[in-house]
Amino acid sequence: MAERKVLIKYYPPDFDPTKLPKNKRPRDKQDNVRMMLPMSIRCTVCGNFMYIGTKFNMRKETCLDEDYLGIKIFRFYFKCTRCYAEITFKTDPKNSDYVCEHNGSRNYDQGKDLRAAEALLKEKRKELEMGDAMKVLENKTYDSKREMDILDALEEVRLLNRREADLDINAVLDHVSAVKEVEQEMNDEDIARKAQSVFHDMQGGMKVRRLREDEDEDEDEQSDDAKEDLTTNTTPSISEKSDERQLGIKKSIIKSKPIVIKGLKVKKKAEPKKPAGLSLLGAYSDDDDEDE
C-alpha cells in the first residue's frame, strides 16, 4: 500500500523532463476570486447602492491591450445585488486607485479631490519654477519659514504638556479642600445670622445671647438643683395648708430651663404655679375641724 503523504519521489535514471506535457494557459483566461469592493458603487441600471467592503464572488482578467509603464491592469466583473446587472471596474496604477467602467458609478470621495488638487498645485509650481531662479528662491524661503512656525508651535505645545506634568496632585487636592472649608464656614455664619434675626423677630425683641458649651452645662446643673429645691419646699404640711387657705394661694415662680438652639439662648417668662389638689383637700379638712 502506497503512502498518502510522500516526501521523497523516485526518479528513474532515464527520466527526461523535456518530454513532460506542458499546461498551456490561455492569455485571456478569467479567474474566480473572492473580493471586497474597494469603493462605494451605485448601480446605474436600478440605482442600488453597494458600499465599500461588501464581499462578492468576482471574475478577474488581465487587460491585454493596455498597461502603465509595464504594470499590468486587471479588470473585475461582479453582479448587482438587486437587478443582477454585470458591473465592471479596473485598476488604475497611475493614481493607485480603481476606475468604474460599465453599469456603475463611483460615489463622491472628498479625499480623492483633495489629493487631486494637491497634485495639480505641485505641477503648477514646477511649471512656474522652470527657468526662474528667483521664484525658486522665494518658494524655498517660504517653505523654511513655514517649517519654523510649525516647529515653534510644537515646542509651545510640549512646554505646556511639561508644565501640566509637573503639577502635584496632593497640592491640588489640598487647595480644593481648603476652598471647601472656607465656603463651609461662610455658609455656617450666614445660617447663624439668619437664625438670630428670625428668633429676634419671633420673641418680640427679646434679648438673645450666645452661650458656650461650658456655660450650657453649668446652667443645666443649676436648673436641676432649682427644681429639686422647689419640689422639697412646695410639699405643704397641715398647718401650712391652713395658712395658704386663709392668706390665699402663694404664687411661686419656677425657673424654666433655657432653650438653646444652635448656640442661641432664649429666656422664657416665668409662669405662676397653679395650686395642687392636695392643698385644697388639706384646707377643707381644717375647716371641718374648726366647726367642731
Side-chain angles (χ1 to χ4, degrees):
M1 184 176 178
E3 295 181 4
R4 289 190 306 109
K5 296 180 180 179
V6 180
L7 301 178
I8 300 175
K9 294 181 179 180
Y10 173 73
Y11 293 96
D14 56 349
F15 176 74
D16 187 4
T18 58
K19 295 180 181 180
L20 292 174
K22 295 182 179 179
N23 294 327
K24 293 182 179 180
R25 176 186 174 87
R27 295 183 63 187
D28 56 350
K29 184 180 178 181
Q30 295 180 349
D31 298 327
N32 295 323
V33 295
R34 180 78 171 172
M35 185 177 172
M36 290 189 298
L37 285 180
M39 54 191 174
S40 297
I41 298 176
R42 179 178 180 271
C43 179
T44 56
V45 178
C46 63
N48 182 31
F49 285 94
M50 289 163 284
Y51 300 99
I52 183 173
T54 307
K55 292 183 179 180
F56 287 94
N57 292 323
M58 300 185 186
R59 291 181 289 111
K60 184 189 76 170
E61 69 176 7
T62 305
C63 299
L64 303 177
D65 55 346
E66 56 182 333
D67 62 354
Y68 176 73
L69 302 177
I71 301 173
K72 295 181 180 180
I73 296 176
F74 298 100
R75 183 180 287 110
F76 298 91
Y77 301 84
F78 71 99
K79 293 184 179 180
C80 176
T81 56
R82 180 184 292 178
C83 64
Y84 298 101
E86 192 170 55
I87 303 172
T88 63
F89 65 91
K90 62 181 180 180
T91 58
D92 185 9
K94 182 178 180 180
N95 300 317
S96 301
D97 204 353
Y98 295 86
V99 178
C100 289
E101 282 189 321
H102 302 289
N103 295 336
S105 62
R106 182 173 182 171
N107 290 353
Y108 175 72
D109 187 4
Q110 185 177 4
K112 183 180 178 181
D113 292 345
L114 290 175
R115 291 189 293 270
E118 289 177 359
L120 184 61
L121 289 174
K122 288 180 180 179
E123 290 179 359
K124 287 184 177 180
R125 181 175 177 177
K126 287 180 181 180
E127 291 177 359
L128 293 173
E129 290 178 354
M130 289 179 64
D132 191 353
M134 293 299 295
K135 192 68 175 178
V136 174
L137 182 60
E138 289 177 0
N139 291 335
K140 285 184 179 180
T141 54
Y142 176 76
D143 293 339
S144 62
K145 183 180 179 182
R146 183 181 179 187
E147 290 177 0
M148 290 179 66
D149 293 340
I150 292 171
L151 291 175
D152 292 340
L154 288 174
E155 188 64 26
E156 186 177 356
V157 171
R158 289 173 184 171
L159 182 61
L160 292 174
N161 292 336
R162 197 178 300 114
R163 287 179 181 176
E164 291 180 358
D166 293 340
L167 289 176
D168 189 7
I169 298 175
N170 295 326
V172 174
L173 293 176
D174 294 340
H175 177 70
V176 173
S177 61
V179 171
K180 287 185 178 180
E181 288 178 359
V182 172
E183 291 179 354
Q184 186 66 27
E185 290 178 358
M186 294 176 66
N187 292 333
D188 294 341
E189 292 178 358
D190 293 339
I191 292 171
R193 195 180 301 108
K194 291 179 181 179
Q196 184 176 1
S197 62
V198 169
F199 280 105
H200 187 271
D201 296 339
M202 291 175 62
Q203 298 298 331
M206 189 177 293
K207 293 182 179 180
V208 179
R209 64 188 183 90
R210 188 181 297 278
L211 294 178
R212 293 177 296 180
E213 294 182 358
D214 298 338
E215 294 180 359
D216 295 342
E217 293 177 358
D218 295 339
E219 290 187 359
D220 292 340
E221 293 177 358
Q222 292 177 4
S223 62
D224 294 337
D225 296 338
K227 283 186 178 181
E228 290 179 0
D229 296 339
L230 289 173
T231 52
T232 54
N233 296 328
T234 53
T235 53
S237 61
I238 297 173
S239 59
E240 289 176 354
K241 292 178 183 179
S242 60
D243 294 337
E244 289 178 1
R245 181 64 178 173
Q246 293 174 1
L247 300 175
I249 300 171
K250 185 180 181 180
K251 296 181 181 180
S252 61
I253 300 173
I254 300 174
K255 294 182 179 180
S256 61
K257 185 178 180 180
I259 299 172
V260 180
I261 299 175
K262 292 184 180 180
L264 302 177
K265 180 182 175 183
V266 180
K267 290 185 178 181
K268 295 178 66 177
K269 295 181 180 179
E271 298 178 358
K273 183 179 177 183
K274 296 181 180 180
L278 294 174
S279 61
L280 296 176
L281 291 174
Y284 287 130
S285 63
D286 292 343
D287 293 340
D288 295 339
D289 295 337
E290 290 175 1
D291 295 339
E292 291 177 358

